[in-house]
Amino acid sequence: MSSEQRDSTVEEEGGDSKALALKMLVAGGFGVGKTTLVGAVSEIRPLRTEELLSEAGQSVDDTGGVDQKTTTTVAMDFGRITIRSGLSLYLFGTPGQDRFWFLWDELSQGALGAVVLADTRRLEDCFPAVDYFEHRRIPFVVAVNCFAGARTYAEDDVSRALDLDRGTPVVLCDARDRASGREVLIRMVEYAGRMHAARLLDSVGQGADPA
């Protein structure tokens, strides 16, 4: 197991020594549905750090396209979901506004992977999250939150629009629906597992003595 994977794995307290708890991030732009997704899938009461939007923040918070939003995450969201027996995910939702991005480095420590939520009405808002995870080589999937009334795009169209690296998964979802969110997380675990395994094999191959 790589050091990345060891940092991402926690032994469940008081449980089976073989039980794993993996850290995952849920990221994306302002108002894209991160808090909603964490709350929908969490089997425990989610921890939320939301504050009311105020007039003081109007000059720095772009609420275009999410005019009905009245609160914002100022630190993180936290939830927990059991994917299968012996495998749980600890979910950390990141704040979406630029002024809180300094928290991302702390939240990403030890994360196995991430879900980048996207809204096709404001697709450009998820570019910073995509760049962040690509530059740090943290595996991620893009989950397109299908809002009512928004135009539906195919996964390939979204991938091209975001100029994603080849193989980066794009999935459609409804952040309000537990089953839909769970499927996104399963795709993330599977993809992150393949990526970390490939990197481990590559490092072993590079370290081998030439014949």
Side-chain angles (χ1 to χ4, degrees):
M1 180 179 290
S2 69
S3 59
E4 287 178 295
Q5 289 173 303
R6 284 195 297 270
D7 290 342
S8 307
T9 305
V10 178
E11 183 176 329
E12 296 278 31
E13 294 183 3
D16 188 338
S17 62
K18 296 182 180 179
L20 298 179
L22 307 176
K23 181 179 181 181
M24 294 286 181
L25 299 186
V26 179
F30 177 57
V32 78
K34 300 180 296 295
T35 299
T36 300
L37 176 64
V38 173
V41 302
S42 181
E43 61 198 17
I44 62 172
R45 183 176 180 178
L47 169 66
R48 293 171 175 167
T49 57
E50 289 191 305
E51 296 291 342
L52 291 173
L53 292 171
S54 65
E55 293 184 3
Q58 288 180 352
S59 61
V60 292
D61 295 333
D62 179 13
T63 58
V66 286
D67 301 337
Q68 303 303 313
K69 187 170 175 60
T70 59
T71 61
T72 183
T73 298
V74 296
M76 68 173 185
D77 299 307
F78 174 77
R80 179 183 183 278
I81 179 175
T82 301
I83 296 297
R84 58 170 172 77
S85 178
L87 176 59
S88 299
L89 302 183
Y90 289 159
L91 306 176
F92 292 80
T94 66
Q97 295 126 296
D98 298 9
R99 57 195 169 111
F100 296 123
W101 280 351
F102 67 92
L103 295 170
W104 284 38
D105 287 340
E106 290 293 332
L107 292 175
S108 65
Q109 289 294 320
L112 183 75
V115 173
V116 176
L117 273 175
D119 178 355
T120 55
R121 301 171 301 179
R122 306 175 69 189
L123 196 58
E124 67 280 0
D125 287 359
C126 70
F127 273 111
V130 168
D131 290 342
Y132 182 90
F133 296 123
E134 284 185 344
H135 290 160
R136 287 160 181 78
R137 302 187 72 219
I138 297 175
F140 68 94
V141 301
V142 173
V144 180
N145 194 6
C146 299
F147 288 89
R151 181 178 174 183
T152 300
Y153 293 87
E155 290 91 337
D156 288 345
D157 294 333
V158 174
S159 181
R160 284 193 294 269
L162 294 176
D163 193 25
L164 298 177
D165 290 341
R166 184 177 180 181
T168 302
V170 176
V171 295
L172 305 181
C173 74
D174 182 344
R176 303 166 299 178
D177 183 75
R178 177 180 173 81
S180 180
R182 186 175 184 275
E183 285 302 314
V184 170
L185 296 173
I186 290 173
R187 286 286 300 276
M188 176 67 259
V189 171
E190 292 173 344
Y191 177 64
R194 292 196 301 270
M195 291 295 293
H196 285 295
R199 291 172 185 173
L200 178 60
L201 289 174
D202 185 59
S203 65
V204 170
Q206 291 179 358
D209 293 331

